[in-house]
Amino acid sequence: MASWVTRTPDVRDLLGASTGRMGLVLFGLSVGSMAGILCSGPLVARWGARPLIAAGTLATAAGSGVLGLGAAAGADAVVALGLGLIGLGMGGGEVALNIEGAEVERLLGRSTLPAMHGFYSLGTVVGAAGGMILTAVSFPVLWHLAIVTAVVLAVLAPTIRYVPAGVGRRTGSGSGTPAHASARPAVWKEPRLLLIGGIISPLPWPRERPTTGCRWSWSTAMASTRRSDRPCTWSSRPR
């Protein structure tokens, strides 16, 4: 994600996209993210978390490559497709990763998820730093994202085997649904869940506090446009 975000102004320039067109391109990321998040629960219940982690990582890597190809070709639809794959992979894979993390906490009997999430932040810093350096030296977007794709696949291949199989998979007779599940209220009818969602949903609204996904990408493109700076200048330090 950080690698893509640092190259957003370059991608916009390669596409020759206006603010409105860029907004439509970035919408692909939102669509993919929502699809991944909404589908992840049933898929984990059916297959377990490990296959979804692998599929999500593959989708993210493939999306990075497709995005680079689309930018090099100046094709808005291809870039949007790449962003959709990134969103799909991250949305679905993140849910599965958190399920695995919760299982690790249960087995260890102590909190470990904050440390795991910290490694996500560390990866973001590394990706952003690398993106800024490559932007500063005018390294081609296509090759940058191709390298990112290769690195992700190279890390996934030897590590996915160490993720335990079957975590999160629903077991039982018949349909595979536990007998007590039918007694639970529907998720979207749970008042406490709706209250939590209502509290969280406004947090990313202010433009001054971009967090993830499209908010990062949009803020990147707009900052570069409004300040009329080179992308590496504003991404490295404010002026």
Side-chain angles (χ1 to χ4, degrees), residues 89-170:
M90 292 191 67
E94 186 175 359
V95 171
L97 282 168
N98 277 283
I99 292 174
E100 286 281 359
E103 178 65 9
V104 170
E105 284 194 333
R106 186 186 69 82
L107 293 174
L108 294 178
R110 56 189 174 89
S111 176
T112 57
L113 274 175
M116 296 178 190
H117 289 158
F119 277 96
Y120 175 87
S121 299
L122 177 62
T124 299
V125 171
V126 173
M132 288 188 293
I133 293 171
L134 295 179
T135 301
V137 300
S138 301
F139 193 79
V141 173
L142 173 60
W143 289 110
H144 176 193
L145 296 182
I147 291 172
V148 171
T149 299
V151 169
V152 171
L153 295 177
V155 172
L156 174 67
T159 57
I160 189 63
R161 70 186 69 179
Y162 296 106
V163 178
V167 174
R169 184 168 56 197
R170 184 175 298 165

Side-chain angles (χ1 to χ4, degrees), residues 9 12 19 207-210 218-239:
R12 179 204 59 202
T19 300
R207 290 181 301 173
E208 293 77 10
R209 298 182 60 191
W218 188 251
S219 299
T220 304
M222 294 304 293
S224 177
T225 300
R226 291 180 178 179
R227 298 186 183 188
S228 299
D229 286 339
R230 291 181 299 116
C232 62
T233 302
W234 74 260
S235 57
S236 302
R237 57 181 174 83
R239 299 185 68 170

Side-chain angles (χ1 to χ4, degrees), residues 18-214:
S18 63
T19 300
R21 277 178 58 196
M22 198 63 187
L24 291 175
V25 171
L26 295 175
F27 187 62
L29 183 61
S30 297
V31 172
S33 297
M34 289 304 301
I37 291 171
L38 292 175
C39 294
S40 58
L43 290 176
V44 170
R46 177 66 178 86
W47 302 105
R50 185 169 73 173
L52 197 60
I53 291 172
T57 306
L58 289 173
T60 302
S64 180
V66 171
L67 195 160
L69 290 172
D76 294 19
V78 179
V79 173
L81 174 62
L83 288 172
L85 288 172
I86 292 175
L88 182 68
M90 292 191 67
E94 186 175 359
V95 171
L97 282 168
N98 277 283
I99 292 174
E100 286 281 359
E103 178 65 9
V104 170
E105 284 194 333
R106 186 186 69 82
L107 293 174
L108 294 178
R110 56 189 174 89
S111 176
T112 57
L113 274 175
M116 296 178 190
H117 289 158
F119 277 96
Y120 175 87
S121 299
L122 177 62
T124 299
V125 171
V126 173
M132 288 188 293
I133 293 171
L134 295 179
T135 301
V137 300
S138 301
F139 193 79
V141 173
L142 173 60
W143 289 110
H144 176 193
L145 296 182
I147 291 172
V148 171
T149 299
V151 169
V152 171
L153 295 177
V155 172
L156 174 67
T159 57
I160 189 63
R161 70 186 69 179
Y162 296 106
V163 178
V167 174
R169 184 168 56 197
R170 184 175 298 165
T171 58
S173 58
S175 63
T177 303
H180 62 275
S182 58
R184 297 176 181 172
V187 173
W188 299 112
K189 294 182 179 179
E190 171 56 56
R192 290 170 294 183
L193 177 63
L194 296 176
L195 179 60
I196 293 172
I199 294 172
I200 293 176
S201 61
L203 296 181
W205 290 353
R207 290 181 301 173
E208 293 77 10
R209 298 182 60 191
T211 53
T212 57
C214 283

